Amino acid sequence: MPLPLYLLALAVFAMGTSEFMLAGLLPDIASELDVTVGTAGVLTSAFAIGMIVGAPLVAALARNWPRRSSLLGFILAFAAAHAVGAITTSFPVLFATRVVAALANAGFLAVALTAAATLVSPDKKGRALAVLLSGTTMATIAGVPGGSVLGTLLGWRAAFWAVAALCLPAALGILKGIPTGHVKEEATGGPALRAELAQLTRPRLILVMLLGALVNAATFASFTFLAPVVTGTAGLGELWISVVLVLFGAGSFVGVTVAGRLSDQRPGPVIAVGGPLLLLGWPVLAMLADEPVALFALVFVQGALSFALGSTLITRVLYEATGAPTMAGSYATAALNVGAAAGPLIAAATLNTAAGTHGPLWASGLLVAVALLIAFPLRTAIEAGRSTEALQ
């Protein structure tokens, strides 16, 4: 894999740390800003909503911008939003900074996903996506637990400052490692924006985007509210939150790495095996969450299965959107973040029910069940197009 791809992954690491670290900081944010934990969880949805709106909008605006300048501008704006978030005492202002950061992240990721696909041969998009998403999984392994520890020891604001600082070496890497040029220059024939948007009428593209959104909603529904499960259901101390996040992140790294080898040519087996196992895992975790050993093991497994299945579906989005070379990354980003926005909202609604802190885990199982019910009768369409040529 080319070096620029790893530099993009470094930036994704910084952004992924921000997106996921709230899972370990929500109780402290809620306490200091005088809101409920469920209300604080809306910060995760705000970030996702900003990415849903921002991905196609910013990608469309940036179609003819120099790639390196676009990526650099997005990551510096992301850093600035975190600096403001670190000093505010207002929940609405913090909410606004999450939206701004999300717009910057959306623009960056939309351009980066498209760029990643053009840095490799057409039949290696899945592997390229796996490298790019490794930045996200490494964020869950190192960045998110690190943010949680910083939040526990120095307060949640320190974690925001740390993310802002992480953006600086990533920006330098982009400046030095990403060649100049326009995104549109990579498109064969340079299709018009209207033609690229017309790809969204293709049934197979809509299908894989929907499935990707549902699986990611299940992932975020539980991940966002793991902290109350650790300290409440399992009865462990706050520092154990970081351990659980590390385990989830390690599992996600394994899942993305394995799926990256299979998703280009054999997406069907990944979905057929990983889907039912993921469905089974969430209710089992809900029933055994009060046992620390079971909690640790199942969090690792669910992280692996969630990201293996999710990354495979998002790879399918890139294959299905080959007719939209400058917008495909934004479609993948939007699908991911529709799920990331809906998942925490659905999960938060379950916290005040009889299920309590187990509610998000049961909600995740339900979301995966819906995805499988949709996918099963249409599995042939999902498996179709194992090669780039088959998807043209």
Side-chain angles (χ1 to χ4, degrees):
M1 294 289 107
L3 177 61
L5 193 56
Y6 292 95
L7 296 173
L8 293 176
L10 175 61
V12 171
F13 169 77
M15 294 180 170
T17 296
S18 171
E19 184 170 9
F20 287 117
M21 73 180 182
L22 289 185
L25 302 177
L26 287 181
D28 289 342
I29 292 174
S31 176
E32 183 173 335
L33 299 184
D34 195 26
V35 296
T36 66
V37 173
T39 299
V42 174
L43 292 172
T44 300
S45 295
F47 194 94
I49 291 170
M51 291 193 70
I52 294 166
V53 175
L57 177 61
V58 179
L61 292 174
R63 291 178 84 237
N64 297 310
W65 296 355
R67 178 180 293 116
R68 184 170 65 183
S69 299
S70 298
L71 294 172
L72 186 62
F74 289 139
I75 198 167
L76 291 178
F78 187 83
H82 281 76
V84 174
I87 63 176
T88 186
T89 58
S90 166
F91 183 80
V93 172
L94 181 60
F95 183 93
T97 67
R98 297 305 289 171
V99 174
V100 171
L103 291 172
N105 192 354
F108 181 92
L109 193 57
V111 176
L113 282 168
T114 303
T118 63
L119 290 172
V120 298
S121 58
D123 62 340
K124 293 183 178 179
K125 291 180 182 179
R127 292 186 63 183
L129 181 62
V131 171
L132 195 64
L133 289 181
S134 70
T136 298
T137 59
M138 288 305 296
T140 62
I141 295 171
V144 174
S148 180
V149 171
L150 273 177
T152 300
L153 299 178
L154 301 176
W156 63 269
R157 298 178 188 279
F160 275 66
W161 283 119
V163 169
L166 270 176
C167 292
L168 300 181
L172 182 61
I174 291 168
L175 187 62
K176 297 295 185 181
I178 302 299
T180 57
H182 294 69
V183 176
K184 194 173 182 180
E185 290 172 0
E186 304 295 340
T188 302
L193 178 59
R194 179 176 296 180
E196 295 202 43
L197 292 175
Q199 293 294 305
L200 289 172
T201 62
R202 300 183 65 242
R204 282 213 310 250
L205 175 57
I206 295 299
L207 172 62
V208 292
M209 288 177 67
L210 173 61
L211 296 178
L214 285 168
V215 170
N216 207 43
T219 303
F220 270 80
S222 288
F223 185 83
T224 301
F225 296 102
L226 275 180
V229 173
V230 174
T231 59
T233 305
L236 299 173
E238 287 190 0
L239 287 177
W240 284 100
I241 295 173
S242 299
V243 175
V244 170
L245 295 178
V246 167
L247 288 171
F248 188 93
S252 67
F253 181 78
V254 171
V256 164
T257 301
V258 172
R261 301 284 178 175
L262 301 174
S263 59
D264 286 310
Q265 301 299 325
R266 300 182 62 81
V270 176
I271 297 170
V273 175
L277 290 176
L278 183 62
L279 171 61
L280 178 64
W282 288 124
V284 171
L285 178 56
M287 291 185 287
L288 299 179
D290 58 341
E291 298 290 340
V293 174
L295 173 64
F296 297 158
L298 287 168
V299 161
F300 176 87
V301 171
Q302 291 303 95
L305 292 171
S306 294
F307 274 78
L309 192 60
S311 65
T312 297
L313 290 168
I314 294 306
T315 298
R316 290 294 98 195
V317 173
L318 294 180
Y319 273 113
E320 292 292 346
T322 51
T326 70
M327 294 295 291
S330 71
Y331 301 160
T333 301
L336 280 170
N337 286 282
V338 164
L345 290 174
I346 294 170
T350 69
L351 292 174
N352 295 323
T353 67
T357 56
H358 295 80
L361 303 175
W362 288 107
S364 292
L366 178 60
L367 287 164
V368 175
V370 172
L372 293 182
L373 287 173
I374 295 172
F376 182 75
L378 300 171
R379 59 192 181 280
T380 303
I382 298 169
E383 273 194 79
R386 292 179 179 175
S387 66
T388 303
E389 290 76 17
L391 289 167
Q392 298 298 330

